[in-house]
Amino acid sequence: MTYVEDELNSQPACWTRAAAEVARHTAVLPAAGERVAIVGCGTSYFMAQSAAALREEAGLGETDAFAASEFPRGRTYDRVVALTRSGTTTEVLTLLTQLKGRTRTVALTADPRTPVMAAADDVVVLDFADERSVVQTRFATTALTLLRAHLGLHAETVVADARAALAGELPEGLAERTQFTFLGRGWTVGLANEAALKMREASLSWTEAYAAMEYRHGPISISTAGTATWMVGEAPEGLADQVRDTGALWVPGELDPLAELVRAQRLAVAVAAVRGLDPDRPRHLTRSVVLAP
């Protein structure tokens, strides 16, 4: 078993632990009414998108998400939350250093022995969700689970759905498709973006991701008998039939959206196997992007 397979299979246990420990971190996580930005790079940026949308949908305060390198320095926030598995990503550390003394910052990380411990004002360490694989799975979803629990939006049914996602069969013939599109709405747009990234990283697949209502505005033109369109969450009315009419395989979101991401992670590993690739050694990637001064 590859590292990434072992790590993605451990997600139900990681989510249960994160939800149980959230009370320990309440004081440093965003309070209701605060104006908040959530930042990250790569996978962490997509988790930031989902977390920000969840917080706003819950009515707990204006919340933005940015790639760390694209943070608007002219805006003011009560708190900035940084997601960084490695604690060494250059763009995240640079931003936290620039915000020091101006804006309260909190970092969610997996490694307490890294520079982020000093760069952020507060730190939440999820070391039990750290990973050996370059391709992120359990740290990202565990960090999002912690934030969902902090918002009062986590339930044991989410963990049950994750177990179902790991135990169930993927749709027949899905791994043999030539192109994969993931769709989301609201907070699940970030999850769709992340599902597509997993496919690119682990299996070198041609993948795209869109807000579901945007799919009709051009992207559906690539749908054909060899492609698959996967809905993360509830689909807009009529979209499934439109996709099926193109000949593409429609994959409905049947579980909690975070558990659907687990299914997509499994697909990435399955496609890698079909293509003879090692998902633990993605092309041109390293565990953390550390730029030279």
Side-chain angles (χ1 to χ4, degrees):
M1 183 177 291
T2 61
Y3 294 140
V4 70
E5 287 177 280
D6 181 61
E7 289 157 2
L8 73 84
N9 283 324
S10 70
Q11 288 174 108
C14 288
W15 298 1
T16 297
R17 180 168 175 180
E21 294 182 359
V22 68
R24 292 173 40 197
H25 308 297
T26 300
V28 302
L29 294 175
E34 286 186 337
R35 189 168 189 250
V36 173
I38 309 177
V39 302
C41 299
T43 288
S44 292
Y45 170 45
F46 297 143
M47 295 299 100
Q49 289 178 330
S50 289
L54 275 172
R55 188 171 185 268
E56 281 213 358
E57 288 172 10
L60 295 175
E62 182 178 338
T63 315
D64 296 321
F66 301 103
S69 59
E70 296 298 320
F71 183 83
R73 268 59 173 186
R75 292 192 192 179
T76 58
Y77 292 94
D78 298 310
R79 196 178 307 255
V80 172
V81 179
L83 307 181
T84 170
R85 175 182 65 172
S86 68
T88 60
T89 303
T90 297
E91 298 100 303
V92 173
L93 294 176
T94 299
L95 176 60
L96 291 173
T97 299
Q98 292 172 343
L99 293 176
K100 200 80 169 181
R102 295 170 39 211
T103 304
R104 194 75 188 176
T105 60
V106 55
L108 275 63
T109 189
D111 192 342
R113 301 159 297 178
T114 57
V116 76
M117 302 297 291
D121 295 312
D122 302 297
V123 182
V124 174
V125 178
L126 303 173
D127 52 355
F128 59 89
D130 202 358
E131 297 160 324
R132 297 181 69 178
S133 178
V134 170
V135 175
Q136 279 201 60
T137 55
R138 72 182 179 191
F139 175 75
T141 60
T142 299
L144 183 55
T145 295
L146 181 82
L147 295 174
R148 282 182 87 181
H150 177 63
L151 298 173
L153 300 175
H154 175 79
E156 279 304 306
T157 54
V158 178
V159 176
D161 277 3
R163 294 194 181 100
L166 292 168
E169 296 292 329
L170 293 171
E172 185 176 354
L174 179 60
E176 287 74 33
R177 298 281 159 159
T178 60
Q179 190 276 347
F180 304 87
T181 298
F182 296 89
L183 306 178
R185 303 180 79 181
W187 76 281
T188 73
V189 172
L191 301 184
N193 287 332
E194 171 58 9
L197 180 62
K198 287 289 89 68
M199 295 295 297
R200 296 186 198 103
E201 291 177 331
S203 66
L204 305 182
S205 294
W206 172 23
T207 59
E208 300 178 343
Y210 302 96
M213 292 295 287
E214 284 296 300
Y215 193 55
R216 297 180 174 101
H217 294 271
I220 196 172
S221 64
I222 65 167
S223 294
T224 186
T227 69
T229 302
W230 190 323
M231 185 69 215
V232 183
E234 185 178 355
E237 184 177 355
L239 184 56
D241 289 338
Q242 278 187 279
V243 171
R244 292 189 184 105
D245 287 345
T246 70
L249 175 65
W250 171 260
V251 183
E254 299 172 342
L255 302 170
D256 179 88
L258 197 56
E260 286 292 326
L261 177 57
V262 175
R263 292 180 72 208
Q265 293 169 347
R266 289 184 58 212
L267 175 63
V269 172
V271 174
V274 168
R275 298 177 179 177
L277 300 171
D278 182 351
D280 283 336
R281 294 175 174 82
R283 190 169 64 185
H284 311 316
L285 297 179
T286 57
R287 174 179 161 88
S288 174
V289 176
V290 179
L291 305 177

